[in-house]
């Protein structure tokens, strides 16, 4: 009986030692470290934006009330059309942003490229209707003038974002 107990004890000890070798503090810290390095490196990898570019080139409609109207090619926000305003005028009670971002959109009707200014309308709660998100030729935030994913009411006294209007400010020389 004693012999059997001794055999079981030493078998258990051997198993525990082996398990500790693979799941000890050091090996746990090493694998946590590996995952942390992977977690920080992953977002730095280059990624393919061609999918969104393809979606953006579908902005070619001719209904000014619709998201896919050609002039909205770089518009990210709620269309003021749907919020009591128009394509180029803020709804009553909202004021136009003092700063803006611009996009270049292709008008399929006349084949020309237009410089479009997108202004946010400020001072009322977010409209919440007709959310459009097109990013043709949009650039990351460090090129502020062509970055649309920002509340451009930042320079106004009333900084609350309501909706977005678009205005043609130039035409590309062909
Ligand atoms: N320029 C539209 C907008 C407003 C708030 C947050 C993101 C985008």
């Amino acid at each position: 009986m004693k012999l059997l107990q001794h055999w079981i004890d030493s078998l258990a000890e051997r198993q525990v030692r082996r398990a500790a070798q693979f799941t000890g503090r050091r090996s746990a810290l090493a694998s946590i470290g590996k995952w942390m390095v992977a977690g920080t490196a992953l977002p730095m990898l280059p990624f393919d934006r061609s999918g969104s570019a393809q979606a953006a080139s579908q902005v070619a409609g001719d209904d000014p009330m619709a998201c896919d109207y050609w002039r909205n090619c770089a518009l990210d926000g709620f269309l003021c059309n749907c919020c009591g305003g128009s394509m180029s005028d803020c709804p009553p009670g909202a004021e136009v942003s003092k700063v803006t971002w611009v996009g270049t959109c292709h008008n399929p009707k006349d084949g020309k490229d237009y410089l479009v200014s997108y202004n946010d309308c400020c001072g009322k709660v977010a409209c919440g209707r007709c959310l459009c998100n097109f990013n043709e030729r949009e650039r990351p935030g460090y090129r502020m003038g062509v970055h649309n994913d920002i509340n451009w009411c930042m320079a106004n006294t009333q900084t609350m974002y309501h909706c977005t209007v678009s205005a043609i400010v130039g035409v590309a020389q062909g």
Side-chain angles (χ1 to χ4, degrees), residues 76-78 101 120 147-152 161 163-164:
D76 179 358
F78 303 117
W101 80 102
D120 287 341
H147 181 66
N148 64 11
D149 200 10
I150 278 182
N151 178 1
W152 285 99
Y161 168 72
C163 63
T164 305

Side-chain angles (χ1 to χ4, degrees), residues 5-133:
Q5 274 175 350
H6 178 75
W7 183 79
I8 291 173
D9 278 353
S10 58
L11 179 72
E13 187 186 335
R14 250 180 291 142
Q15 294 299 332
V16 169
R17 278 186 195 283
R18 185 171 302 167
Q21 208 175 348
F22 292 105
T23 57
R25 236 180 316 167
R26 273 199 208 151
S27 99
L29 283 175
S31 47
I32 289 170
K34 272 185 220 159
W35 281 109
M36 281 171 73
V37 170
T40 18
L42 207 61
M44 290 186 222
L45 295 174
F47 59 95
D48 179 14
R49 298 185 68 140
S50 59
S52 58
Q54 204 174 2
S57 64
Q58 290 162 3
V59 185
D62 57 7
D63 174 6
M65 296 299 286
C67 243
D68 73 352
Y69 185 55
W70 68 269
R71 199 197 278 193
N72 298 337
C73 78
L75 190 151
D76 179 358
F78 303 117
L79 281 190
C80 287
N81 290 350
C82 305
C83 309
S86 70
M87 191 163 46
S88 51
D89 289 309
C90 289
E95 61 176 32
V96 72
S97 64
K98 292 185 173 142
V99 285
T100 175
W101 80 102
V102 291
T104 303
C105 300
H106 184 75
N107 182 349
K109 277 222 165 124
D110 62 10
K112 289 183 179 164
D113 292 327
Y114 290 87
L115 187 66
V116 181
S117 169
Y118 299 102
N119 288 71
D120 287 341
C121 294
C122 318
K124 290 175 85 174
V125 290
C127 160
R129 286 190 290 277
C130 303
L131 176 64
C132 308
N133 186 4

Side-chain angles (χ1 to χ4, degrees), residues 47 49 137-148 150:
F47 59 95
R49 298 185 68 140
R137 282 177 280 275
E138 196 220 357
R139 290 293 175 266
Y142 57 81
R143 290 197 57 195
M144 293 284 279
V146 280
H147 181 66
N148 64 11
I150 278 182

